[in-house]
Amino acid sequence: MNWYDFAVQFADAQWHRTAGNSRKNTAKALMTATVALLRTPPAAFKPVDVRTALREFAFNTRRREEAPDEVLAILKWVERNTMSMAVWEDPAKVDEVLYALGTKLDGTRAAASSVKRNRRILNVAMEYAVKHRILRANPLPKGRGSVPKTSSAVDKRSLLNPEQAARLLGWVRRRPRGGKRLHAFFATLYYAGPRPEEVVAMGVADVRLPEEGADDQWCELLFHTAQPEVGKNWTDDGGIHEERGLKGRAADDTRVVPGHPSLTRILREHIKGRHLKPGDLLFQGEKGEMLAGSVIRRAWRSARAEVLTPEEFASPLGKRVYDLRHTCLTRWLNDGVPPAQVAEWAGNSVPVLLAIYARCVSGQLRDLKRRMEAGEDLPELPETA
């Protein structure tokens, strides 16, 4: 068996057991490995066309049969010019493939997280080859140093202070096209800390608002579904979003998160202003469809460009929409909310929460010193002769 035939077989085996983003990442890793295992570089085809044909068709189970003639010609050439699986017995060739998986097209080193993900995918492929007796053993190096170290800790520089958040959300609210709708979306991230794919899946019925005259104006948000945007080429039904359960939770599990009174006011105005009914999506596109990720990212990018200084805009400060979630969870921890409670609201485990946010907890040192000082000094002991 040559590598190309094996890679297609492996992609098909993974397709039915993985979600859209995992399918996409698998195709990218197999594409890079395949290019590295070609006997000769393509002469009759552009390198970019070869990579596109591999990524978008060869390793995409749903689209392979739809490949146009020019793509089929490329794939037949790749099949004829790919090395056999015996090449994995050559340590030098293994190193060459691993180098390709860790290098960007411009020759610079890829991010450590990307390298680690690609190595993980290739390792699964090798174990699949061993299981099906295509290889005798997994040829990838093991042990310390074989995979680059990565840190899950959030970058403190990405966190927003209240003034910065107010200016950004205020600019979004004044945006002529869909500003109020997007303002409510970003406010939900800032005050309640969910993942963006959980917010786009929310329905009006998932918001429990108190009576307008009630003393307690905290609301409750119910999260039970996520709709990550993976692209129509990587879902089973051809939709842009893929419906999934909550990350790290059992199927049909739910999570209830309290909403600050400020968020209660914003969501109440949003629901009333758009005349939303209980069965409607809470945050909709212009035609009532699910809010698109491209719209969300474009609005946030514009807000940063208009509100932040050039130095702040070039920095990691609030660079991703996800940084609103990071800011919320960090604020809860700094306010003294127990980590176990923050983890429950965030949909994380306590170890994962602390690994991500422990370095950002600040402002409690004075209180901690006071507690430690409250302990008694060592008792005075009588002198012995």
Side-chain angles (χ1 to χ4, degrees), residues 95-116:
D95 288 343
E96 187 178 326
V97 175
L98 293 179
Y99 176 80
L101 287 171
T103 308
K104 294 192 289 187
L105 289 176
D106 61 3
T108 59
R109 188 70 174 165
S113 58
S114 298
V115 177
K116 191 172 184 178

Side-chain angles (χ1 to χ4, degrees), residues 170-184:
W171 186 91
V172 171
R173 183 178 175 82
R174 294 187 297 272
R175 192 170 182 256
R177 190 172 177 178
K180 292 183 179 179
R181 167 170 46 96
L182 289 167
H183 171 261

Side-chain angles (χ1 to χ4, degrees), residues 181-251:
R181 167 170 46 96
L182 289 167
H183 171 261
F185 175 87
F186 292 133
T188 302
L189 291 171
Y190 178 77
Y191 284 111
R195 300 175 178 89
E197 61 265 28
E198 295 170 343
V199 183
V200 297
M202 290 181 69
V204 176
D206 298 326
V207 181
R208 301 168 183 170
L209 297 174
E211 296 294 333
E212 292 194 40
D215 293 334
D216 184 354
Q217 282 297 304
W218 283 78
C219 64
E220 284 188 341
L221 307 181
L222 175 66
F223 298 103
H224 53 83
T225 308
Q227 288 275 1
E229 189 175 83
V230 298
K232 62 182 181 180
N233 292 338
W234 302 98
T235 57
D236 291 323
D237 60 1
I240 296 176
H241 293 84
E242 181 178 60
E243 183 171 345
R244 301 177 61 184
L246 299 180
K247 186 176 181 179
R249 298 277 180 135

Side-chain angles (χ1 to χ4, degrees), residues 157 161 164 167 304 307-319:
R157 298 173 300 169
N161 63 39
Q164 291 163 339
R167 287 192 286 128
R304 290 185 75 248
V307 169
L308 303 180
T309 65
E311 293 76 16
E312 289 173 333
F313 182 79
S315 76
L317 178 65
K319 193 166 189 177

